Amino acid sequence: MTIPRHLAVIMDGNGRWAERRKRPRVIGHRAGARAVNVCIDFCLERGIEALTLFAFSSENWGRPEEEVGALMKLFMGALEREVDELDRRGVRVRFIGERERFSATISERMSAAERQTQANTRLNLVIAASYGGRQDIAQAARAIATDVAAGKLQLHEIDEQAVAARMSLADLPAPDLFIRTGGDHRISNFLLWQLAYTELWFTDLLWPELDAATLQRALEDFAQRERRFGLTGAQIAGQAMEKTPA
């Protein structure tokens, strides 16, 4: 079965999971931490190279102050609790997004986690926190403008590759498979550039309910899809024949 190299996930439904149980929304976010571990375990077992999780969007700062504060405490707790175990298992932890919006304490914990795990190669775990796809494209545009102004880049050299090289995740393959829990069928400003040819898979399951069986169904569906990247099915078949040893 074809296995995606890079899996991208929107972890949606924590708040609704709690509300259906007449519990505070923060209880749902705590329950969602278990599903994060399920997803990491699944990727390690299947040999998936990279996992990018949308943990906190740039728009989420507009949520009620009490909920944002609780999320920051959970985030800090996870950094203190999980990094040593991830390091032991060979997971490299990285963060993308506007880090300066976090407190100095959380920002330093993020940097410490990256330093501690930077040599690991078994799984690239990318946490998108205070992240937005449009913001990501805008910062790439600023980087290009800076390089042009400094004479490091000529106008005729600005192409898709030049933009891609300045995006978050520039050193990783684009996501092959995108999963969103929670029942909404949209990508919500997540990896807008990187998801151009990603296969999308949606489920009504709320994030705290995620299990390995659901992830396996997503992989089985992915394996059945023909990824053409703008070509015809016949062209893809011909390329596969050319790669087959004589």
Side-chain angles (χ1 to χ4, degrees), residues 101-204:
R101 298 193 66 176
F102 291 99
S103 70
T105 301
I106 291 179
S107 182
E108 174 50 35
R109 287 283 185 179
M110 293 162 75
S111 296
E114 290 176 327
R115 290 193 300 269
Q116 180 177 340
T117 64
Q118 63 184 347
N120 295 336
T121 58
R122 192 175 172 204
L123 172 68
N124 280 284
L125 174 61
V126 182
I127 308 297
S130 189
Y131 173 87
R134 290 177 176 175
Q135 159 231 103
D136 197 0
I137 294 170
Q139 66 83 22
R142 287 194 297 272
I144 285 175
T146 299
D147 286 345
V148 169
K152 298 177 181 179
L153 187 70
Q154 300 301 311
L155 289 177
H156 70 270
E157 294 176 319
I158 301 174
D159 54 16
E160 289 187 17
Q161 287 71 35
V163 177
R166 292 163 176 81
M167 299 290 297
S168 297
L169 311 184
D171 60 328
L172 293 178
D176 302 293
L177 175 62
F178 161 97
I179 295 174
R180 180 175 185 148
T181 60
D184 287 328
H185 292 190
R186 55 179 178 265
I187 59 175
S188 296
N189 198 23
F190 181 43
L191 301 179
L192 296 180
W193 178 275
Q194 296 89 340
L195 293 179
Y197 279 100
T198 299
E199 298 296 324
L200 310 181
W201 195 85
F202 301 94
T203 176
D204 291 335

Side-chain angles (χ1 to χ4, degrees), residues 81-99:
R81 186 175 59 252
E82 303 289 348
V83 172
D84 285 346
E85 177 63 12
L86 291 171
D87 187 29
R88 185 189 68 79
R89 300 179 73 186
V91 177
R92 180 185 180 190
V93 180
R94 301 166 61 185
F95 299 91
I96 58 173
E98 295 178 305
R99 194 172 307 191

